[in-house]
Amino acid sequence: MQIEHQVSLRSFNTFGMDATASRFVRCGSVDSILELLHAPIAGNLLVLGGGSNILFTRNVEGVVLKNEIRGIDIIDSDDEFVRVRTGAGENWHQLVCFCVEQGFAGMENLSLIPGNTGASPIQNIGAYGVELKDIFDSLEAVHIGEKSLHTFLAADCGFGYRESVFKSRYRNQFIITSVTFRLRKNPVFHTEYGPIRQELERMAVKELSIRAIAQAVINIRSSKLPDPSVIGNAGSFFKNPVVDHQQFVQIRSSYPDVVSFPAPDEKFKLAAAWLIEQCGWRGYRRGDAGCHEKQALVLVNYGNARGAEIRDLANEIVASVFRKFGVQLETEVNIY
Ligand code: FAD
Ligand code: NAP
């Protein structure tokens, strides 16, 4: 086990925050994780994947465990399904590309999401009408306290809208080491969401395929979202809020254009980006911290913003949305 000291985390988080880790350990196997957990330095541990859903507001006075477990394996298949197991340190989009290439369907709408496969169950990543839970089979994770490996099936993970037990009940208790996906050999296409159909038309796609959908999603995302290698960001900073029918009717009576979608249990999901825009934040910049000009849900670091500046801006946005609409925005990004 190689321990690095006083490591800058700037290149390890897509916000580009310049926090320092007192200690930094790369783990490429379950055994190396167990070795680290048995070592005296193991207290105050932060697990890091691709760093695309985290905002550092301070240094890490402990150990950053960089999960680098690799491997993509087809473990079994029948006429309908194939199961693919990945090491937690595999890049998410590379896995999607591999599956699309093999003709394994289900992940195509989740193309170009940054980060690693190990973090994908943590917030049940989702985009364009598909969530990780739709293709999830199981995962393996090391319990930090017990130093033992556990298997979780979907029913154990408490998947919800950008939620799982790993963000709530088991927060910071497990290190995910592998994730297994169950993908279809005969695709079921999801094109009803957002601008996918328009993009497929623009691409003049004659025969729908998972490859075409993946490309459409890649095109849309590339045209709309800031590339973290150019402008630091962690994607959507807030979740889309879900309100009950009564509150929805109240908001719509004052704001008939409110962007909303029906949600389970007769509730309504409001587009957080629209709420933020209505409060005048889209394109706002203070120093190097800002609210992206094309997508108000994305807070950005134009260069040398500090984590605390992004956090303060986020707090102001939350307060103004609450004042105007009476809706409480929740943060999606993990603030450290
Ligand atoms: P990290 O940022 O490294 O970690 C996130 C959290 O998970 C941290 O709390 C970390 O401690 C913990 N963690 C990471 N790995 C493990 C592990 N192996 N075991 C235990 N805990 C772990 N998200 C979506 O859902 N949909 C999108 O469409 C989407 N688009 C995005 C677009 C952009 C431009 C960006 C920058 C982000 C986007 N995201 C999106 C957010 C982000 O990409 C996902 O949440 C992704 O799954 C995070 O993966 P990561 O490896 O970077 O996690
Ligand atoms: P968009 O297409 O402009 O749509 C705005 C919002 O409306 C989205 O947040 C989406 O909710 C919702 N929406 C659109 N069509 C919908 C439908 N048919 N049914 C229900 N809800 C619908 O959104 P965008 O910002 O460009 O993002 C496109 C997709 O990528 C979204 O699914 C979004 O979640 C995902 N994305 C996520 C992140 C992240 O960091 N989490 C970053 C970028 C993009 P949902 O968000 O609930 O899907």
Side-chain angles (χ1 to χ4, degrees), residues 46 131 139 162 264 267 276 288 302:
L46 173 72
E131 291 182 336
L139 64 79
R162 306 288 189 269
K267 294 184 175 178
I276 295 168
D288 274 351
Y302 285 104

Side-chain angles (χ1 to χ4, degrees), residues 127-128 161-162 193-194 224-225 235-236 240 261 269 295 332:
Y128 298 104
Y161 176 62
R162 306 288 189 269
Y193 212 83
K224 193 169 177 183
L225 290 168
S236 304
N240 287 324
F261 301 90
K269 180 178 76 178
Q295 173 45 291
E332 181 178 303

Side-chain angles (χ1 to χ4, degrees), residues 163-198:
E163 276 301 337
S164 76
V165 288
F166 303 105
K167 281 189 90 173
S168 51
R169 184 153 42 115
Y170 296 143
R171 191 178 188 88
N172 299 330
Q173 290 183 38
F174 284 93
I175 302 166
I176 296 174
T177 54
S178 75
V179 186
T180 299
F181 301 92
R182 186 167 176 265
L183 300 161
R184 286 181 182 277
K185 289 189 168 167
N186 305 306
V188 175
F189 301 121
H190 298 279
T191 58
E192 63 288 347
Y193 212 83
I196 293 189
R197 277 207 194 111
Q198 279 155 266

Side-chain angles (χ1 to χ4, degrees), residues 231-242:
I231 303 176
N233 75 90
S236 304
F237 202 89
F238 305 102
K239 294 184 200 173
N240 287 324
V242 177

Side-chain angles (χ1 to χ4, degrees), residues 85 87 98 113 127 159 172 181-182 186 206 229 245 252 256 267 271 275 282 289 291 293 307 314 317 326-327 336:
R85 182 178 191 270
F98 169 83
I113 296 181
F159 289 129
N172 299 330
F181 301 92
R182 186 167 176 265
N186 305 306
K206 293 203 175 57
S229 66
H245 186 258
R252 197 181 46 184
K267 294 184 175 178
L275 300 172
R282 184 155 70 90
C291 181
E293 55 188 6
I317 291 172
V327 173
Y336 184 88

